[in-house]
Amino acid sequence: MKITNKNIEEYIHRFMEGETTNSEEQAIYRFFRKGNLPEHLKQYSDMFAWYEDGMPEEKGKYRQQASKPFWKHLPLEIWSMGIAAMLVIGIGLGIVLPTTDRQSEEWACYEGSYVKVNGEYITDLKTILPIIQETLADAEAIEKRIEERLTKIQNIEKNIKEKQEIMCNF
C-alpha cells in the first residue's frame, strides 16, 4: 500500500472514522513525516505526529483537568441527553411492568399445563407459553380458513337455489 498525494485524503477520512488498520496508520504517519506536504494537508501534520509519538500528555494541563470531578467535564448537551434517556427508560418501565402483570394474569389459566416434546414433559409455563401461543395462532388460522370455505359453500348453495328457482319457473 502506497499513500500518495492523490489518495491521502481518503486515508485521512478513514482514519477519522476509525476504519484504518495499524499498517495503514503507520503509512499515514510516514507520509506526514516525509515533509513536502501540500498546503491543505499541513494542518494534519501535528496531529499525526502526536498519534505517532503515542499521544503524550501535556504536563500540567492534564493534571489540572484530572483533579476536577468527571461530571464537571460533561457539557450541558450530554447532561440533557442523559436526563432524557432516564425519562424514556422510566416511562418505558412504567408501561411495560403493568403489561407484564396483565399478561401473567391472562395466561394464568394455563398454569399446570404441559407440553410433550420428544417424549419429555415440560411444565414450566414460561417455557411452554410460546408453544401455547403458537398453537393458538395456528388454531385461529385454521378457523379463519374454515370460515372462508364455509362462506364459499354458502355462496354456492345460494347460487344453486337461485338457479333452481329459475328452472322451476320455466
Side-chain angles (χ1 to χ4, degrees):
M1 142 195 45
K2 176 112 170 112
I3 297 182
T4 64
N5 287 346
K6 292 181 181 179
N7 65 4
I8 185 62
E9 290 179 9
E10 176 187 340
Y11 281 100
I12 291 172
H13 175 73
R14 289 185 55 230
F15 180 87
M16 296 298 191
E17 295 295 318
E19 298 172 351
T20 52
T21 64
N22 284 339
S23 61
E24 289 171 333
E25 289 173 11
Q26 295 301 318
I28 293 170
Y29 301 153
R30 281 191 303 274
F31 178 86
F32 279 94
R33 195 177 336 119
K34 74 177 182 176
N36 297 339
L37 297 171
E39 192 62 37
H40 71 284
L41 295 177
K42 288 183 180 179
Q43 63 181 340
Y44 297 109
S45 184
D46 290 338
M47 178 185 76
F48 284 112
W50 180 71
Y51 278 116
E52 184 177 23
D53 290 340
M55 300 178 287
E57 301 170 4
E58 292 179 300
K59 291 185 179 180
K61 186 175 182 183
Y62 178 78
R63 289 193 182 119
Q64 186 179 21
Q65 288 179 347
S67 64
K68 292 181 182 179
F70 169 76
W71 57 270
K72 286 190 176 182
H73 294 285
L74 296 176
L76 181 60
E77 292 84 11
I78 300 295
W79 277 100
S80 301
M81 287 189 296
I83 291 169
M86 288 190 310
L87 284 172
V88 168
I89 291 170
I91 292 170
L93 287 175
I95 292 171
V96 170
L97 290 179
T99 304
T100 304
D101 290 340
R102 276 187 261 128
Q103 283 180 339
S104 297
E105 292 171 12
E106 180 182 347
W107 296 102
C109 64
Y110 293 103
E111 193 66 44
S113 298
Y114 66 90
V115 174
K116 189 174 181 182
V117 178
N118 297 329
E120 178 185 348
Y121 287 92
I122 302 172
T123 58
D124 179 34
L125 187 59
K126 289 181 181 179
T127 305
I128 67 172
L129 192 56
I131 298 169
I132 293 172
Q133 289 171 329
E134 182 181 337
T135 303
L136 290 174
D138 291 344
E140 287 177 18
I142 291 170
E143 185 178 359
K144 184 177 178 182
R145 285 195 308 254
I146 290 171
E147 287 174 2
E148 289 171 355
R149 289 181 183 168
L150 183 59
T151 302
K152 284 182 182 179
I153 291 171
Q154 288 171 343
N155 287 337
I156 291 171
E157 287 177 344
K158 182 179 173 184
N159 286 339
I160 291 173
K161 284 182 183 179
E162 289 173 358
K163 289 180 182 179
Q164 281 178 343
E165 288 177 13
I166 291 173
M167 293 300 285
C168 289
N169 290 335
F170 280 113

